Amino acid sequence: MAGIAKKKSAGPPSRVWVTLRTLWQEKHLILFKAEYTFLVAAVLWFLEIGINVWVIQKVAYTEIDWKAYMDEVEGVINGTYDYTQLKGDTGPLVYPAGFVYIFTALYYATDHGANIRTGQYLFAVFYLLNLLLVFRIYHRTQKVPPYVFFFVCCASYRIHSIFVLRLFNDPVAMLLLFGAVNLFLDRHWMLGCGIYSLAVSVKMNVLLFSPGLLFVLLWEFGLLKTLPKLSLCAAIQLLLGLPFLLENPVGYISRAFDLGRQFFFKWTVNWRFLPEEVFLNRYFHVALLAAHVLTLLLFTFQRWKRPGESIMALLKDPAKRSQPMRKLSADHMVLILFTSNFIGMCFSRSLHYQFYVWYFHTLPYLLWSGGVKKLAHLLRVLILGLIELSWNTYPSTVYSSAALHVCHLIILVSLWLAPTLHGHHGDGKSQDKPKRQ
């Protein structure tokens, strides 16, 4: 009897013990099973704290745009609200008003821009927050094997450089963008649209996500319920730009949202194999824009929309559609948004080195979402490596830019061959279930 009582008191093993035992049993699979995303990401994130400190302390800072940013916001601080009068030593101010406010805060935090080291540590914080948001997206979708996250953070020299050695505004815009994507996954649509608009106000490249976002909003809400969310995005742009719009509206809009800005051939990463006169030719730019729009339309009608259903059905209230549509899963929401941005990158008039951060963190997701079965793990990693090599080749060469386009083409074709959304409706995983409308 005593023996039985003693056995009963031991009780079932604790949850922590069970978890540790499972981890030990599956130790050889931790890097390959997507359910261990959180564990691997957590280890890498803490490693990244040390890596960023080491980079800041040991690698020389390179001045490119920081001083120009500080000169531009200093002009605003001194009372100049005419955008055509605001400039730095690398040229005129060409970013929307959100950039001005955020970098004004950084101006004061870094002793009027003079304390570069403080600026670097602030950007290291941005880097770590950005990585948290990215890892959360990968944790929610559980599509990419955890070993790939080593390439998402620790292995990329260029991304660390863009954040903590160059202090560009691109990382700030992408930090806000990934914040918005996380809010969309949690179904906080209005707040997500507000943060998305704030990201656009830092740098216009975030607009490359907008075709995908519009499709997602129409799928979820129909046209009438989408309009308030679009109106919020527009209102935020108007509110942020108000002091400059009141001073010189044409000057602000033409500078902050200049879609026709000419790029220098010497900085291009993606079109080095072209003659400079072709690179600068307006007909070439129009052809790229046409290819961009056509590819977006093809994906919208053939890959995102359900076959046999009119695109006009998306304009109706979901409750009034002839065929009810389930809520998009986290996986497919992210796929549409990231694909929309990637298509824009493929047909960009020019990509400069800091633009790598525009799509770097989305590349593993896109590669593991593709429908080409022959793209085995090794080949996908090879493509990631070739893209990294292309972006780290300075100055770019005919071969590095051609290799980048080949990699982009493989990813694009793979995405085209991926299963269509209509075959995978529903939330699938418990973590994808909507929290609230």
Side-chain angles (χ1 to χ4, degrees):
M1 289 294 288
I4 293 167
K6 190 175 180 183
K7 195 173 181 181
K8 272 187 178 179
S9 65
S14 71
R15 189 174 174 182
V16 174
W17 171 249
V18 171
T19 303
L20 288 172
R21 191 171 61 189
T22 305
L23 285 174
W24 175 252
Q25 289 169 345
E26 298 192 350
K27 56 186 179 294
H28 59 294
L29 295 174
I30 286 173
L31 295 178
F32 293 91
K33 293 181 76 169
E35 52 261 45
Y36 292 117
T37 293
F38 180 81
L39 176 67
V40 175
V43 172
L44 289 172
W45 189 82
F46 282 106
L47 273 176
E48 274 289 355
I49 297 173
I51 291 170
N52 276 274
V53 171
W54 184 88
V55 170
I56 292 168
Q57 293 292 334
K58 300 295 182 182
V59 185
Y61 163 79
T62 308
E63 174 55 50
I64 297 180
D65 280 342
W66 174 258
K67 188 176 182 302
Y69 294 165
M70 295 299 101
D71 290 343
E72 288 158 4
V73 300
E74 196 168 58
V76 178
I77 291 165
N78 291 335
T80 304
Y81 293 102
D82 184 344
Y83 244 60
T84 61
Q85 302 302 311
L86 293 167
K87 59 182 184 295
D89 59 3
T90 58
L93 173 55
V94 291
Y95 309 118
F99 160 85
V100 174
Y101 302 123
I102 290 171
F103 277 80
T104 296
L106 291 170
Y107 173 88
Y108 287 116
T110 57
D111 191 20
H112 299 190
N115 191 337
I116 301 293
R117 186 52 56 89
T118 298
Q120 287 182 278
Y121 277 107
L122 286 170
F123 270 78
V125 172
F126 295 159
Y127 178 94
L128 292 165
L129 288 173
N130 186 75
L131 210 51
L132 274 180
L133 293 169
V134 169
F135 282 150
R136 187 172 185 267
I137 292 167
Y138 280 102
H139 175 64
R140 285 290 300 272
T141 53
Q142 293 196 3
K143 176 169 277 186
V144 178
Y147 76 85
V148 181
F149 302 138
F150 175 78
F151 302 97
V152 172
C153 49
C154 304
S156 179
Y157 167 80
R158 179 63 66 189
I159 294 301
H160 286 94
S161 172
I162 290 167
F163 272 87
V164 300
L165 298 179
R166 304 291 190 272
L167 313 185
F168 287 119
N169 65 329
D170 307 73
V172 180
M174 295 310 295
L175 170 63
L176 292 167
L177 179 278
F178 286 123
V181 173
N182 272 277
L183 288 166
F184 295 144
L185 293 180
D186 292 338
R187 312 281 167 174
H188 299 304
W189 295 101
M190 289 298 279
L191 184 57
C193 286
I195 300 298
Y196 174 81
S197 186
L198 192 57
V200 172
S201 79
V202 176
K203 195 156 188 179
M204 269 204 311
N205 69 282
V206 178
L207 285 173
L208 294 177
F209 289 88
S210 60
L213 178 56
L214 179 61
F215 183 91
V216 168
L217 289 173
L218 289 174
W219 180 291
E220 293 285 314
F221 300 106
L223 181 60
L224 283 179
K225 291 181 181 176
T226 293
L227 288 175
K229 296 162 184 64
L230 299 182
S231 300
L232 175 66
C233 292
I236 287 172
Q237 295 300 322
L238 193 64
L239 187 64
L240 292 172
L242 197 58
F244 310 103
L245 288 165
L246 291 172
E247 184 70 26
N248 182 354
V250 175
Y252 174 69
I253 294 166
S254 63
R255 282 284 171 85
F257 298 97
D258 182 8
L259 294 170
R261 188 154 56 100
Q262 190 63 274
F263 294 104
F264 291 115
F265 184 63
K266 67 177 180 178
W267 295 117
T268 189
V269 175
N270 60 331
W271 295 116
R272 180 66 62 185
F273 57 85
L274 293 177
E276 187 169 359
E277 57 269 23
V278 174
F279 174 81
L280 296 171
N281 190 288
R282 289 292 179 187
Y283 290 109
F284 174 61
H285 302 161
V286 171
L288 284 174
L289 179 61
H292 181 189
V293 172
L294 178 62
T295 307
L296 277 173
L297 289 173
L298 284 171
F299 268 84
T300 301
F301 284 89
Q302 298 296 322
R303 312 313 300 165
W304 299 346
K305 184 185 71 65
R306 283 198 301 201
E309 189 167 62
S310 167
I311 195 72
M312 301 304 289
L314 287 177
L315 303 180
K316 296 177 183 176
D317 186 293
K320 297 177 181 176
R321 291 169 186 164
S322 56
Q323 290 181 293
M325 297 179 180
R326 295 187 189 178
K327 300 292 183 186
L328 285 173
S329 67
D331 185 21
H332 289 119
M333 201 185 299
V334 172
L335 181 60
I336 290 169
L337 291 170
F338 285 4
T339 303
S340 174
N341 178 62
F342 180 73
I343 291 168
M345 295 292 286
C346 290
F347 299 103
S348 177
R349 284 189 292 125
S350 186
L351 296 174
H352 293 178
Y353 287 95
Q354 68 267 34
F355 298 178
Y356 191 21
V357 78
W358 293 4
Y359 76 155
F360 170 79
H361 294 101
T362 73
L363 288 173
Y365 187 86
L366 296 171
L367 273 166
W368 265 264
S369 295
V372 181
K373 289 181 180 177
K374 290 183 180 178
L375 276 183
H377 285 272
L378 188 61
L379 187 54
R380 289 181 172 115
V381 171
L382 178 64
I383 291 169
L384 283 178
L386 278 173
I387 292 172
E388 178 75 16
L389 188 63
S390 299
W391 284 94
N392 279 297
T393 303
Y394 177 78
S396 62
T397 65
V398 169
Y399 300 109
S400 68
S401 59
L404 187 63
H405 278 287
V406 170
C407 292
H408 284 177
L409 181 62
I410 292 170
I411 295 171
L412 198 60
V413 170
S414 181
L415 288 169
W416 180 260
L417 296 174
T420 53
L421 298 188
H422 74 283
H424 299 273
H425 285 315
D427 293 308
K429 302 183 184 84
S430 61
Q431 68 262 37
D432 288 350
K433 289 178 182 175
K435 292 183 179 178
R436 68 182 180 93
Q437 286 298 316

